[in-house]
Amino acid sequence: MKMLIADDHALMREAVILKLQAEFPDARFYESACFEDTLEQLQSNPLIDVAIIDLHMPGMQGITSIQCFLLLKPETPIAIFSNEQNTDLMLEILNSGVQGFIPKNEATAVIVKAIELILEGSRYIPGAVLAPLTVPATPLEDIEFPLNGRQRELIRYICAGYPNKRIANEMNLSLGTVKQYIHRLYQQLSVSSRVELQNRVRQHAYLEVG
Protein backbone atom coordinates (compact mmCIF):
# COMPACT_ATOMS: atom_id res chain seq x y z
CA MET A 1 0.00 0.00 0.00
CA LYS A 2 1.23 3.49 -0.88
CA MET A 3 0.13 6.76 0.72
CA LEU A 4 1.04 10.32 -0.15
CA ILE A 5 1.11 12.87 2.69
CA ALA A 6 1.18 16.43 1.34
CA ASP A 7 1.67 19.20 3.91
CA ASP A 8 4.09 22.10 4.15
CA HIS A 9 4.82 21.44 7.84
CA ALA A 10 7.34 18.64 8.31
CA LEU A 11 6.16 18.00 11.88
CA MET A 12 2.59 17.56 10.68
CA ARG A 13 3.67 15.10 7.98
CA GLU A 14 5.69 13.17 10.54
CA ALA A 15 2.80 13.07 13.02
CA VAL A 16 0.33 11.83 10.40
CA ILE A 17 2.75 9.17 9.15
CA LEU A 18 3.37 7.94 12.70
CA LYS A 19 -0.38 7.66 13.28
CA LEU A 20 -0.94 5.74 10.07
CA GLN A 21 2.11 3.49 10.40
CA ALA A 22 0.64 2.02 13.58
CA GLU A 23 -2.48 0.94 11.68
CA PHE A 24 -0.93 0.24 8.28
CA PRO A 25 2.51 -1.23 9.09
CA ASP A 26 3.09 -2.41 5.52
CA ALA A 27 2.32 0.98 3.97
CA ARG A 28 4.94 2.95 2.08
CA PHE A 29 4.73 6.70 2.55
CA TYR A 30 5.61 9.50 0.14
CA GLU A 31 5.83 13.15 1.15
CA SER A 32 5.43 16.55 -0.49
CA ALA A 33 5.36 20.10 0.84
CA CYS A 34 3.70 22.21 -1.87
CA PHE A 35 1.36 22.03 -4.84
CA GLU A 36 4.14 21.48 -7.41
CA ASP A 37 5.81 18.71 -5.36
CA THR A 38 2.45 16.98 -4.94
CA LEU A 39 1.83 17.02 -8.68
CA GLU A 40 5.27 15.52 -9.24
CA GLN A 41 4.70 12.79 -6.65
CA LEU A 42 1.36 11.86 -8.20
CA GLN A 43 2.92 11.73 -11.67
CA SER A 44 5.96 9.68 -10.66
CA ASN A 45 4.11 7.23 -8.37
CA PRO A 46 1.11 5.94 -10.36
CA LEU A 47 0.06 3.30 -7.82
CA ILE A 48 -0.63 5.55 -4.82
CA ASP A 49 -3.65 4.17 -2.95
CA VAL A 50 -4.64 7.42 -1.23
CA ALA A 51 -3.35 11.00 -1.19
CA ILE A 52 -3.87 13.14 1.92
CA ILE A 53 -3.45 16.76 0.87
CA ASP A 54 -3.28 19.94 2.93
CA LEU A 55 -5.70 22.54 1.56
CA HIS A 56 -3.50 25.54 2.34
CA MET A 57 0.06 24.47 1.58
CA PRO A 58 2.14 26.73 -0.74
CA GLY A 59 0.93 26.86 -4.34
CA MET A 60 -2.57 25.63 -3.55
CA GLN A 61 -5.44 27.64 -5.02
CA GLY A 62 -8.45 25.97 -3.45
CA ILE A 63 -10.83 24.07 -5.71
CA THR A 64 -8.76 24.87 -8.81
CA SER A 65 -5.74 23.00 -7.45
CA ILE A 66 -7.89 20.11 -6.22
CA GLN A 67 -9.35 19.72 -9.70
CA CYS A 68 -5.82 19.58 -11.13
CA PHE A 69 -5.07 16.59 -8.90
CA LEU A 70 -8.36 14.91 -9.81
CA LEU A 71 -7.78 15.40 -13.54
CA LEU A 72 -4.20 14.18 -13.29
CA LYS A 73 -5.03 11.05 -11.26
CA PRO A 74 -8.76 10.34 -11.37
CA GLU A 75 -8.12 6.80 -10.15
CA THR A 76 -6.33 7.96 -6.96
CA PRO A 77 -8.58 8.66 -3.94
CA ILE A 78 -7.84 12.11 -2.55
CA ALA A 79 -8.63 13.31 0.96
CA ILE A 80 -8.28 16.97 1.86
CA PHE A 81 -6.63 17.56 5.24
CA SER A 82 -7.28 20.95 6.80
CA ASN A 83 -8.24 23.06 9.82
CA GLU A 84 -10.84 24.83 7.66
CA GLN A 85 -13.99 25.66 9.66
CA ASN A 86 -16.17 27.03 6.85
CA THR A 87 -18.77 24.32 6.24
CA ASP A 88 -19.86 25.85 2.92
CA LEU A 89 -16.30 25.58 1.64
CA MET A 90 -16.04 22.04 3.00
CA LEU A 91 -19.21 21.12 1.10
CA GLU A 92 -17.86 22.70 -2.07
CA ILE A 93 -14.65 20.71 -1.74
CA LEU A 94 -16.53 17.46 -1.11
CA ASN A 95 -18.68 18.13 -4.17
CA SER A 96 -15.55 18.61 -6.30
CA GLY A 97 -14.98 14.86 -6.35
CA VAL A 98 -12.57 14.16 -3.50
CA GLN A 99 -13.17 11.12 -1.32
CA GLY A 100 -13.07 12.92 1.99
CA PHE A 101 -12.42 16.01 4.04
CA ILE A 102 -10.48 15.27 7.23
CA PRO A 103 -10.16 18.03 9.88
CA LYS A 104 -6.65 18.19 11.31
CA ASN A 105 -8.00 18.49 14.84
CA GLU A 106 -9.76 15.12 14.74
CA ALA A 107 -8.66 12.38 17.14
CA THR A 108 -6.18 9.84 15.82
CA ALA A 109 -8.83 7.12 15.76
CA VAL A 110 -11.11 9.28 13.61
CA ILE A 111 -8.35 10.08 11.12
CA VAL A 112 -7.44 6.41 10.83
CA LYS A 113 -11.11 5.44 10.39
CA ALA A 114 -11.50 8.09 7.69
CA ILE A 115 -8.56 6.63 5.76
CA GLU A 116 -9.94 3.11 6.18
CA LEU A 117 -13.30 4.18 4.75
CA ILE A 118 -11.62 5.83 1.77
CA LEU A 119 -9.46 2.77 1.10
CA GLU A 120 -12.65 0.66 1.16
CA GLY A 121 -14.13 2.85 -1.57
CA SER A 122 -16.40 4.91 0.69
CA ARG A 123 -16.23 8.61 1.48
CA TYR A 124 -15.47 10.42 4.72
CA ILE A 125 -17.63 13.44 5.55
CA PRO A 126 -16.79 15.25 8.82
CA GLY A 127 -19.37 15.73 11.53
CA ALA A 128 -19.35 19.50 11.06
CA VAL A 129 -20.79 18.97 7.58
CA LEU A 130 -23.13 16.12 8.46
CA ALA A 131 -24.63 17.75 11.56
CA PRO A 132 -26.94 20.21 9.77
CA LEU A 133 -27.80 17.66 7.09
CA THR A 134 -28.69 14.51 8.96
CA VAL A 135 -32.05 15.46 10.44
CA PRO A 136 -34.61 17.14 8.19
CA ALA A 137 -36.92 19.69 9.79
CA THR A 138 -39.88 17.54 8.69
CA PRO A 139 -39.93 13.73 9.08
CA LEU A 140 -39.35 11.90 5.81
CA GLU A 141 -42.75 10.25 6.17
CA ASP A 142 -44.42 13.66 5.97
CA ILE A 143 -42.67 14.73 2.77
CA GLU A 144 -44.30 13.86 -0.52
CA PHE A 145 -41.84 12.61 -3.12
CA PRO A 146 -41.80 9.56 -5.41
CA LEU A 147 -39.64 7.19 -3.36
CA ASN A 148 -40.54 3.78 -1.96
CA GLY A 149 -39.93 2.54 1.56
CA ARG A 150 -36.58 0.93 0.78
CA GLN A 151 -35.33 4.14 -0.81
CA ARG A 152 -36.41 6.12 2.26
CA GLU A 153 -34.47 3.69 4.43
CA LEU A 154 -31.45 4.05 2.16
CA ILE A 155 -31.62 7.86 2.47
CA ARG A 156 -31.59 7.59 6.25
CA TYR A 157 -28.43 5.48 6.24
CA ILE A 158 -26.68 7.79 3.76
CA CYS A 159 -27.59 10.84 5.84
CA ALA A 160 -26.25 9.09 8.93
CA GLY A 161 -22.88 8.75 7.17
CA TYR A 162 -22.92 4.96 6.83
CA PRO A 163 -20.43 3.54 4.26
CA ASN A 164 -21.84 1.22 1.60
CA LYS A 165 -20.61 -1.92 3.36
CA ARG A 166 -22.47 -1.05 6.56
CA ILE A 167 -25.61 -0.12 4.61
CA ALA A 168 -25.47 -3.53 2.94
CA ASN A 169 -25.29 -5.21 6.35
CA GLU A 170 -28.12 -3.11 7.79
CA MET A 171 -30.41 -3.71 4.81
CA ASN A 172 -29.37 -7.37 4.34
CA LEU A 173 -28.31 -6.71 0.75
CA SER A 174 -25.18 -7.38 -1.27
CA LEU A 175 -22.69 -4.55 -1.69
CA GLY A 176 -23.33 -4.53 -5.44
CA THR A 177 -27.08 -4.18 -4.92
CA VAL A 178 -26.58 -1.25 -2.54
CA LYS A 179 -24.39 0.50 -5.11
CA GLN A 180 -27.09 -0.01 -7.76
CA TYR A 181 -29.78 1.36 -5.44
CA ILE A 182 -27.66 4.42 -4.64
CA HIS A 183 -27.00 5.02 -8.34
CA ARG A 184 -30.73 4.88 -9.11
CA LEU A 185 -31.47 7.19 -6.18
CA TYR A 186 -28.93 9.73 -7.48
CA GLN A 187 -30.61 9.60 -10.89
CA GLN A 188 -34.08 9.99 -9.45
CA LEU A 189 -33.14 12.99 -7.28
CA SER A 190 -30.77 14.49 -9.88
CA VAL A 191 -27.74 14.47 -7.58
CA SER A 192 -24.23 13.16 -8.13
CA SER A 193 -22.85 12.69 -4.61
CA ARG A 194 -23.81 11.87 -1.03
CA VAL A 195 -23.28 15.47 -0.02
CA GLU A 196 -25.68 16.71 -2.72
CA LEU A 197 -28.24 14.11 -1.65
CA GLN A 198 -27.95 15.17 1.99
CA ASN A 199 -28.37 18.78 0.98
CA ARG A 200 -31.47 17.83 -1.02
CA VAL A 201 -32.92 16.11 2.04
CA ARG A 202 -32.25 19.18 4.15
CA GLN A 203 -33.88 21.51 1.63
CA HIS A 204 -36.81 19.13 0.93
CA ALA A 205 -36.41 19.92 -2.77
CA TYR A 206 -37.35 16.54 -4.26
CA LEU A 207 -38.04 16.23 -7.95
CA GLU A 208 -41.25 14.70 -9.19
CA VAL A 209 -39.91 11.87 -11.28
CA GLY A 210 -41.98 9.19 -12.98
Side-chain angles (χ1 to χ4, degrees):
M1 182 185 299
K2 297 180 180 181
M3 300 186 186
L4 171 62
I5 311 299
D7 195 292
D8 57 316
H9 295 96
L11 289 177
M12 177 60 73
R13 296 198 304 272
E14 181 180 345
V16 172
I17 290 173
L18 284 174
K19 291 175 183 178
L20 295 177
Q21 278 179 329
E23 297 296 327
F24 306 101
D26 296 327
R28 180 175 180 180
F29 293 91
Y30 298 84
E31 300 180 48
S32 60
C34 65
F35 172 74
E36 291 78 10
D37 287 348
T38 303
L39 280 179
E40 183 177 347
Q41 288 284 6
L42 288 171
Q43 288 176 320
S44 58
N45 297 290
L47 300 180
I48 287 176
D49 294 284
V50 62
I52 304 168
I53 299 175
D54 177 24
L55 180 61
H56 297 300
M57 63 183 174
M60 288 289 288
Q61 296 182 11
I63 298 293
T64 300
S65 295
I66 293 172
Q67 289 174 338
C68 286
F69 298 139
L70 294 170
L71 288 171
L72 177 66
K73 290 293 178 180
E75 72 281 7
T76 300
I78 291 175
I80 298 301
F81 195 49
S82 175
N83 282 322
E84 182 62 56
Q85 300 295 314
N86 186 321
T87 54
D88 288 337
L89 177 58
M90 294 161 73
L91 275 168
E92 184 181 3
I93 290 170
L94 286 163
N95 280 328
S96 71
V98 300
Q99 291 302 108
F101 189 106
I102 306 174
K104 288 186 177 182
N105 60 357
E106 289 284 18
T108 299
V110 175
I111 294 174
V112 170
K113 183 60 178 177
I115 299 303
E116 288 177 341
L117 286 173
I118 292 169
L119 289 171
E120 289 173 0
S122 299
R123 303 183 75 211
Y124 178 75
I125 302 172
V129 174
L130 281 176
L133 303 178
T134 54
V135 182
T138 305
L140 287 177
E141 291 81 359
D142 297 334
I143 303 172
E144 292 187 4
F145 57 101
L147 297 177
N148 60 39
R150 177 153 284 186
Q151 288 173 314
R152 292 170 187 261
E153 183 182 5
L154 181 59
I155 284 178
R156 292 186 187 282
Y157 289 134
I158 292 174
C159 287
Y162 286 19
N164 290 350
K165 187 176 293 185
R166 184 173 176 185
I167 292 175
N169 291 335
E170 295 288 342
M171 298 183 70
N172 196 27
L173 298 170
S174 70
L175 185 58
T177 299
V178 167
K179 290 180 179 178
Q180 290 177 3
Y181 282 0
I182 291 176
H183 177 68
R184 291 172 189 164
L185 191 61
Y186 284 2
Q187 289 181 320
Q188 189 163 344
L189 298 181
S190 296
V191 298
S192 59
S193 70
R194 288 183 174 227
V195 175
E196 287 184 9
L197 185 144
Q198 290 159 345
N199 203 32
R200 181 61 58 86
V201 170
R202 180 180 60 177
Q203 295 172 349
H204 305 158
Y206 296 96
L207 297 179
E208 293 297 329
V209 179

